[in-house]
């Protein structure tokens, strides 16, 4: 501490008692007292004497930053709550409140009696009251009293701040604190899920009708009437209140979500019209007929299919989603959205006096395109924009990379189809049989090629990300529950909505085919439609090709992660994995006999890897995801051009399912024989060898792949599989491996003893000043490779003395500095 005062150039005096200060008091200096403990009598005496008192962390912090001591009219022990403005609510014991306020002042915080926009944190002992409601509406963090106590416990830590998210989030008031919930109208699975979420968010739950319940959460779409008369103290709220509280990470206000019976005036009017007591008059019948016609028209234009049964909601099948549905024209402004999101139709679709079949199909094409654009707008407005919005209550729901993975190129797809819809609308409004519909899709074919492949190819990844985040992040789960229940979504999940782009292009191609059938041969649009259909097929082919390439690249990455020491040059844009084969080595190459070997056949090379004897550790990606440890060890990456012959070993009693490769590595003068036994019967040996030869022939540009296969007897190449599965053979291989490990463990140098003696004699003779003999020179030449390696400076061997010298010098300098 004394050194610190010297560094910041402050005069100081060490005293054992306050009485010593009376003789040192001088008006020329401002006296600041550094007290180690703010609880002892010395501190109390100084505080009563209105002296300026600070704690050691303040001095250390100012010394570290080179700043002057902060001025405070109150005793200041540390600065962990500096610049924080706190307000309290719900405290009935004055002693506890005074204690908390004192600790906040000791840590540099400011207290406000009334809540306003300058308050940074509300410390609540209860979830009732006006301050709590205002804090929720403003998104102000609401903290437990333990937050202050724990911050004070860490008061001596340098650079500690009580407002850091990781520390603060541990003490936030959970959304359902002091709440006892019961649920009505939910399935058993939904109810169990909501009960678990209630406990996770700090609340409790009781059976329906229990008098201790504070809230009754109702599924408003199912429950038409309550089974009992609720008490005045019981909040009867919709499920949106439950999920909204979790999403905001704070208890939402109940008044906005109160449950009301579904007795709307429109419903009463419809019931009165359809009542059996309706008088049998022409006027009433005409009104009833008009009402039913209106209802039927609304049903025809219904944006989404009817609600599926609960058992079918969780199954996602392509067939169930082929219906291209619409969304209501009304939209919710969550933030900045593309202009075409809020663009309405220019006018209603005109109906020609005589509706031709071509016009009917064109009208259906326009309607489905309009519906599809509205679905994309719903995805963007209800899901993507709110998730990307800054300043979310409780912090961001998802990370930016997760949002990008989920939605991908949806905005780009939306922009393209908005233009297509507008062009189709102009064509329908000004309909003429000679106008070309095919030109519209030809016009935007390049845009479709750019936008669709990135989304369709990574749709499965998008789906997996949604499922993973929904399980791991309660706020995202609540966000989906709230928005998926809105009428704009038609009670469909986000995954079900996101699959629509996958289905759209095939649907358009079918409609264009139907349109072509109803187009006269003399109409110029017929040939244009054929080109448009061809362009759509080209887009879909491009999508499939990109998807195949993406999956191929993913397979290569899986190989790299599975094989320890796999060469980086295996990753190549033109390379793809063809086949994986599990084998056992039958010779001394490429590894010991009996080793389990995995062959990865690529279109231009062969990766050979053996099973690892011991798997250690795991791989952790930068995003924190843990991968399983590599189960294979890299042996050799062989270009297929090095394979000269593929030997099909005949089946005998002593040899089963064996084959061999005759290889000429560039570093060897003679051919090397690699023999293997296939251990799996899933892929017949004949098919595997033909596949291998075909890719070898492609690599060396030969058309006769069959000429590469040579059938041989096992005795010719001394290949047999007789002892592969015997216990004695396995024990012998294990002993051999153990012997090799022991040899490697005790072999400190691979240099021969004779060479070492000669090297030592040479160095000794040179030290004595005599020239080396011819035998010594011969010894030195034999050690040239070793000497060249020894000449390379090694930080672990050669530089050890210099390292210790530097270390000793550094220690001596630091000691001198401290003295």
């Amino acid at each position: 501490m004394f050194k610190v005062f010297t560094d910041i150039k402050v005069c100081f005096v060490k005293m054992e008692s306050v009485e010593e200060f009376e003789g040192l008091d001088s008006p020329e200096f401002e006296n600041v007292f550094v007290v180690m403990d703010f609880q002892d009598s010395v501190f109390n005496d100084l505080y009563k004497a209105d002296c300026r008192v600070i704690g050691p962390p303040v001095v250390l912090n100012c010394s570290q930053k080179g700043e002057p001591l902060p001025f405070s009219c109150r005793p200041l022990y540390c600065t962990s709550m500096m610049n924080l403005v706190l307000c309290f609510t719900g405290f009935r014991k004055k002693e506890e409140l005074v204690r908390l306020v004192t600790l906040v002042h000791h840590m540099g915080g400011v207290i406000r009696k009334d809540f306003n926009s300058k308050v940074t944190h509300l410390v609540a002992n209860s979830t009732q009251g006006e301050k709590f409601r205002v804090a929720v509406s403003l998104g102000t963090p609401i903290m437990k009293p333990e937050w202050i106590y724990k911050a004070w416990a860490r008061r001596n830590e340098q650079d500690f701040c009580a407002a850091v998210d990781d520390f603060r989030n541990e003490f936030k008031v959970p959304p359902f604190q002091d709440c006892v919930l019961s649920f009505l109208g939910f399935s058993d699975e939904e109810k169990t899920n909501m009960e678990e979420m209630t406990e996770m968010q700090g609340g409790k739950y009781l059976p329906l009708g229990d008098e201790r319940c504070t809230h009754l959460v109702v599924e408003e779409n199912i429950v038409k009437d309550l089974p009992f008369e609720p008490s005045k103290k019981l909040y009867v709220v919709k499920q949106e209140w439950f999920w909204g509280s979790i999403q905001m990470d704070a208890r939402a206000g109940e008044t906005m979500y109160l449950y009301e019976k579904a007795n709307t005036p429109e419903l009463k009017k419809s019931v009165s019209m359809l009542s059996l007591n309706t008088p049998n008059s022409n006027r009433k019948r005409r009104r009833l007929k008009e009402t039913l016609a209106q209802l039927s028209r609304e049903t025809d234009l219904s944006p989404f299919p009817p609600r599926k049964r609960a058992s079918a909601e969780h199954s996602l099948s392509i067939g169930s989603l082929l219906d291209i549905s619409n969304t209501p024209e009304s939209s919710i402004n969550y933030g900045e959205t593309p202009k075409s999101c809020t663009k309405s139709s220019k006018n209603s679709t005109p109906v020609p006096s005589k509706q031709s079949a071509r016009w009917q199909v064109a009208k259906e094409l326009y309607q489905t395109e309009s519906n599809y654009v509205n679905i994309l707008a719903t995805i963007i407005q209800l899901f993507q924009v709110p998730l990307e919005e800054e300043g979310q209550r409780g912090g961001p729901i998802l990370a930016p990379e997760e949002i990008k993975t989920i939605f991908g190129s949806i905005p780009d797809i939306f922009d393209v189809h908005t233009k297509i819809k507008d062009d189709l609308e102009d064509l329908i409004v000004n309909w003429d049989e000679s106008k070309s519909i095919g030109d519209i899709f030809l016009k935007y074919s390049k845009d479709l090629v750019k936008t669709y492949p990135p989304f369709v190819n990574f749709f499965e990844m998008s789906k997996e990300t949604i499922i993973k985040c929904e399980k791991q992040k309660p706020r995202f789960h609540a966000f989906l529950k709230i928005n998926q229940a809105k009428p704009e979504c038609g009670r469909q999940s986000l995954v079900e909505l996101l699959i629509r782009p996958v289905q759209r292009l095939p649907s358009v191609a079918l409609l264009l085919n139907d349109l072509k059938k109803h187009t006269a041969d003399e109409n110029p649009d017929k040939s244009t439609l054929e080109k448009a259909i061809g362009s759509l097929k080209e887009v879909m082919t491009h999508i499939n090709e990109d998807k195949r390439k993406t999956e191929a690249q993913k397979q290569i990455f899986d190989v790299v992660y599975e094989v320890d020491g796999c060469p980086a040059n295996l990753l190549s844009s033109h390379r793809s994995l063809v086949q994986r084969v599990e084998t056992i080595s039958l010779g001394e190459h490429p590894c010991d006999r009996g080793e389990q070997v995995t062959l990865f056949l690529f279109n231009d090379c062969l990766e050979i890897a053996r099973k690892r004897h011991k798997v250690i550790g795991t791989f952790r990606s930068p995003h924190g995801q843990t991968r399983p440890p590599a189960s294979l060890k890299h042996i050799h990456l062989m270009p297929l051009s090095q394979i000269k012959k593929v030997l099909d070993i005949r089946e005998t009693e002593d040899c089963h399912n064996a084959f061999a490769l005759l290889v000429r590595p560039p570093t060897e003068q003679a051919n090397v024989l690699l023999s293997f036994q296939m251990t799996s019967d899933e892929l017949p040996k004949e098919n595997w060898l033909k596949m291998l030869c075909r890719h070898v022939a492609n690599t060396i540009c030969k058309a006769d792949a069959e000429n590469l296969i040579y059938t041989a007897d096992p005795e010719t190449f001394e290949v047999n599989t007789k002892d592969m599965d015997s216990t004695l053979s396995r024990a012998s291989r294990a002993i051999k491996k153990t012997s090799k490990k022991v040899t490697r463990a005790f072999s400190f140098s691979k240099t021969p003893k004779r060479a070492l003696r000669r090297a030592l004699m040479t160095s000794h003779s040179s030290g004595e000043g005599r020239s080396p003999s011819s035998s010594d020179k011969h010894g030195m030449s034999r050690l040239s490779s070793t000497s060249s390696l020894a000449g390379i400076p090694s930080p672990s061997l050669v530089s050890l003395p210099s390292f210790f010298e530097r270390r000793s010098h550094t220690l001596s300098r630091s000691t001198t500095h401290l003295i």
Side-chain angles (χ1 to χ4, degrees):
M1 182 62 69
F2 301 134
K3 178 182 178 301
V4 171
F5 281 116
T6 305
D7 290 343
I8 60 176
K9 299 179 181 180
V10 175
C11 299
F12 65 93
V13 177
K14 181 181 179 182
M15 297 182 299
E16 299 295 336
S17 63
V18 182
E19 287 76 9
E20 298 180 23
F21 169 68
E22 296 177 356
L24 298 175
D25 191 12
S26 172
E28 299 180 7
F29 299 97
E30 181 184 9
N31 299 299
V32 180
F33 294 86
V34 182
V35 181
M36 302 294 292
D37 187 2
F38 274 28
Q39 306 296 327
D40 61 6
S41 58
V42 175
F43 170 79
N44 293 330
D45 294 339
L46 292 172
Y47 181 65
K48 291 177 181 178
D50 199 20
C51 296
R52 185 179 174 186
V53 183
I54 61 175
V58 175
V59 180
L60 294 172
N61 189 44
C62 292
S63 172
Q64 183 181 5
K65 297 180 179 179
E67 298 176 352
L69 295 175
F71 176 80
S72 176
C73 58
R74 299 185 181 91
L76 181 64
Y77 187 87
C78 63
T79 58
S80 56
M81 283 195 174
M82 189 68 74
N83 301 323
L84 300 187
V85 182
L86 276 63
C87 186
F88 292 84
T89 183
F91 292 88
R92 296 184 178 181
K93 296 181 180 180
K94 185 177 180 181
E95 296 79 8
E96 181 183 10
L97 182 59
V98 170
R99 171 65 177 161
L100 291 170
V101 169
T102 302
L103 293 180
V104 172
H105 285 156
H106 288 348
M107 291 184 284
V110 179
I111 306 297
R112 289 286 181 267
K113 182 179 179 180
D114 299 324
F115 191 92
N116 54 42
S117 59
K118 295 182 179 180
V119 174
T120 60
H121 296 79
L122 176 68
V123 182
N125 201 33
S126 172
T127 57
Q128 306 294 332
E130 183 180 354
K131 291 181 180 179
F132 188 91
R133 293 285 115 226
V134 175
V136 171
S137 63
L138 294 178
T140 304
I142 304 174
M143 311 302 298
K144 299 178 182 178
E146 288 81 2
W147 175 54
I148 298 175
Y149 291 126
K150 291 293 183 180
W152 178 249
R154 299 178 61 176
R155 60 188 178 276
N156 290 316
E157 296 183 17
Q158 282 291 101
D159 300 326
F160 169 71
C161 179
V164 175
D165 290 340
D166 293 340
F167 176 75
R168 184 183 63 182
N169 291 341
E170 297 180 21
F171 306 100
K172 291 183 71 173
V173 174
F176 299 137
Q177 180 170 306
D178 303 334
C179 297
V180 182
L181 278 57
S182 60
F183 302 93
L184 177 63
F186 300 94
S187 64
D188 293 340
E189 183 181 356
E190 289 176 323
K191 183 179 177 183
T192 302
N193 178 34
M194 296 175 81
E195 288 174 349
E196 292 175 355
M197 297 290 290
T198 300
E199 290 185 333
M200 288 175 57
Q201 302 299 326
K204 300 177 182 178
Y205 64 89
L206 290 173
L208 184 67
D210 196 298
E211 295 180 355
R212 292 171 291 176
C213 291
T214 59
H215 295 76
L216 173 60
V217 183
V218 178
E219 216 306 7
E220 64 274 11
N221 298 309
I222 296 178
V223 177
K224 302 304 179 184
D225 200 0
L226 299 178
F228 60 90
E229 187 65 27
S231 63
K232 294 182 179 179
K233 296 181 179 180
L234 180 67
Y235 288 106
V236 183
V237 292
K238 303 175 185 177
Q239 62 171 330
E240 190 175 354
W241 171 85
F242 179 85
W243 299 115
S245 299
I246 298 176
Q247 180 187 331
M248 291 192 305
D249 203 16
R251 178 178 159 190
E254 291 83 0
T255 54
M256 296 177 59
Y257 304 96
L258 293 177
Y259 169 76
E260 297 177 357
K261 296 180 181 180
N263 292 330
T264 59
E266 291 79 5
L267 180 63
K268 292 181 178 180
K269 181 178 180 180
S270 299
V271 171
S272 64
M273 286 182 176
L274 299 175
S275 173
L276 295 177
N277 297 327
T278 303
N280 189 12
S281 63
N282 293 333
R283 182 172 57 85
K284 293 291 184 181
R285 287 178 180 176
R286 188 165 55 252
R287 183 184 300 175
L288 177 60
K289 184 177 180 180
E290 292 173 356
T291 303
L292 292 175
Q294 177 66 23
L295 288 175
S296 66
R297 284 195 297 272
E298 291 176 358
T299 304
D300 293 337
L301 298 175
S302 178
F304 290 98
R307 175 74 166 175
K308 302 188 292 290
R309 61 181 184 278
S311 61
E313 286 181 3
H314 303 285
S315 61
L316 180 60
S317 62
I318 299 296
S320 64
L321 295 171
L322 287 177
D323 171 58
I324 304 299
S325 55
N326 190 11
T327 55
E329 292 182 2
S330 60
S331 60
I332 302 174
N333 292 326
Y334 287 101
E336 292 186 4
T337 56
K339 293 181 180 181
S340 46
C341 276
T342 56
K343 185 177 179 179
S344 59
S345 299
K346 298 175 182 178
N347 45 34
S348 58
T349 304
V351 181
S353 56
K354 185 178 180 181
Q355 299 178 1
S356 64
R358 175 176 160 83
W359 185 88
Q360 291 284 1
V361 179
K363 173 190 169 187
E364 182 181 358
L365 177 63
Y366 165 72
Q367 287 179 340
T368 56
E369 187 68 19
S370 179
N371 295 344
Y372 177 58
V373 169
N374 288 335
I375 288 175
L376 296 177
T378 298
I379 294 172
I380 295 173
Q381 292 177 347
L382 285 188
F383 296 97
Q384 184 176 1
V385 172
L387 288 172
E388 292 176 342
E389 191 176 30
E390 297 181 358
Q392 300 175 29
R393 294 179 183 177
I397 297 176
L398 293 180
E401 58 269 15
E402 292 171 332
I403 299 174
K404 181 64 178 176
T405 302
I406 291 173
F407 297 100
S409 58
I410 283 289
D412 298 329
I413 295 174
F414 172 80
D415 291 338
V416 175
H417 280 274
T418 300
K419 296 174 184 176
I420 294 175
K421 187 207 76 169
D422 291 343
D423 289 354
L424 286 174
E425 187 174 349
D426 289 337
L427 186 143
I428 295 294
V429 169
N430 305 299
W431 176 256
D432 187 273
E433 290 289 335
S434 61
K435 288 199 172 182
S436 176
I437 297 177
D439 283 336
I440 296 176
F441 289 92
L442 286 176
K443 177 181 177 182
Y444 298 103
S445 60
K446 291 183 179 179
D447 295 328
L448 296 176
V449 170
K450 291 179 182 178
T451 56
Y452 267 92
F455 180 82
V456 176
N457 294 340
F458 291 95
F459 172 73
E460 289 300 324
M461 187 182 297
S462 172
K463 178 181 172 183
E464 291 171 3
T465 304
I466 293 173
I467 296 173
K468 181 193 72 174
C469 292
E470 191 174 5
K471 289 181 179 178
Q472 297 178 354
K473 302 187 177 185
R475 293 181 60 210
F476 181 63
H477 178 70
F479 173 81
L480 292 181
K481 284 287 185 180
I482 292 172
N483 289 287
Q484 289 172 173
K486 292 180 179 179
E488 293 93 323
C489 292
R491 297 183 177 276
Q492 296 189 55
S493 67
L494 178 58
V495 174
E496 291 173 323
L497 294 174
L498 285 174
I499 203 175
R500 297 307 178 89
V502 180
Q503 303 168 338
R504 182 55 187 164
L505 291 185
S507 176
V508 173
L510 291 175
L511 286 171
L512 291 182
N513 260 317
D514 197 14
L515 191 66
K516 189 182 74 170
K517 292 178 184 178
H518 295 91
T519 302
D521 294 338
E522 61 273 10
N523 194 326
D525 194 31
K526 187 148 190 172
S527 59
T528 310
L529 285 171
E530 289 180 357
K531 294 179 182 178
I533 295 169
S535 68
L536 286 181
K537 289 182 178 179
E538 185 180 347
V539 174
M540 289 185 281
T541 303
H542 191 77
I543 290 172
N544 294 333
E545 181 66 19
D546 279 4
K547 189 174 183 180
R548 187 189 64 78
K549 290 181 180 179
T550 302
E551 292 174 351
Q553 291 296 315
K554 184 178 180 297
Q555 288 177 336
I556 298 179
F557 274 103
D558 291 339
V559 172
V560 172
Y561 287 127
E562 188 179 1
V563 179
D564 182 29
C566 187
N569 59 359
L570 179 67
L571 297 172
S572 178
S573 59
H574 71 277
R575 185 166 291 141
S576 60
L577 179 64
V578 178
Q579 186 64 48
R580 171 181 179 150
V581 178
E582 302 294 337
T583 67
I584 294 177
S585 176
L586 299 179
E588 298 301 323
H589 299 285
C591 56
D592 294 337
R593 177 178 173 83
E595 290 268 15
Q596 297 183 26
V597 178
T598 302
L599 304 178
F600 296 95
L601 174 62
F602 294 88
N603 58 320
D604 63 340
C605 63
L606 183 70
E607 166 65 21
I608 305 175
R610 65 167 175 83
K611 184 178 180 181
R612 294 187 66 179
H613 305 310
K614 186 176 181 182
V615 179
I616 302 175
T618 57
F619 171 77
R620 183 173 292 276
S621 69
H623 299 289
Q625 298 176 348
T626 303
R627 287 186 174 273
S631 59
L632 301 174
K633 181 72 175 177
H634 167 73
I635 297 177
H636 185 56
L637 180 61
M638 179 193 305
L640 294 183
S641 57
Q642 295 181 10
I643 300 177
K644 303 305 177 184
K645 284 290 182 181
V646 177
L647 306 181
D648 183 6
I649 308 298
R650 288 192 178 95
E651 297 291 318
T652 63
E653 293 182 0
D654 296 339
C655 190
H656 175 66
N657 223 17
F659 70 96
L661 303 178
L662 196 63
V663 179
R664 173 69 69 86
T667 57
E668 299 291 337
Q669 298 297 326
N671 293 331
V672 178
L673 185 69
L674 310 180
S675 54
F676 306 93
Q677 179 191 20
M678 297 180 66
T679 58
S680 175
D681 296 331
E682 294 181 2
L683 177 66
K685 183 178 72 170
E686 181 182 1
N687 296 352
W688 155 246
L689 296 180
K690 287 182 178 180
M691 184 189 306
L692 176 60
C693 289
R694 185 172 68 252
H695 285 87
V696 172
N698 292 339
T699 304
I700 62 178
C701 299
K702 280 192 175 183
D704 49 347
E706 296 181 357
N707 291 338
L708 295 172
I709 299 181
Y710 178 79
T711 305
D713 295 324
E715 295 82 7
T716 306
F717 297 96
E718 299 180 355
V719 175
N720 70 83
T721 62
K722 185 176 180 180
D723 61 341
M724 283 298 100
D725 297 328
S726 65
T727 305
L728 182 61
S729 177
R730 287 196 297 269
S732 175
R733 291 195 297 269
I735 292 172
K736 188 176 180 181
K737 292 175 185 175
T738 305
S739 176
K740 283 189 174 182
K741 290 180 181 178
V742 172
T743 304
R744 285 196 297 266
F746 286 95
S747 179
F748 298 102
S749 174
K750 295 183 179 180
T751 309
K753 293 182 179 179
R754 184 181 301 174
L756 280 174
R757 282 200 301 268
R758 290 178 178 175
L760 290 173
M761 289 174 62
T762 302
S763 62
H764 180 69
S765 62
S766 62
E768 292 180 354
R770 66 178 183 88
S771 60
S773 62
S774 60
S775 61
D776 294 335
K777 291 180 180 179
H778 180 66
M780 290 175 65
S781 64
R782 291 182 62 183
L783 285 173
S784 59
S785 60
T786 309
S787 302
S788 62
L789 289 175
I792 301 175
S794 172
S796 60
L797 295 175
V798 179
S799 301
L800 282 177
S802 60
F803 169 79
F804 283 116
E805 290 175 5
R806 289 196 304 270
R807 183 63 177 169
S808 175
H809 180 61
T810 304
L811 289 174
S812 63
R813 283 190 301 169
S814 60
T815 305
T816 304
H817 184 69
L818 286 172
I819 291 172

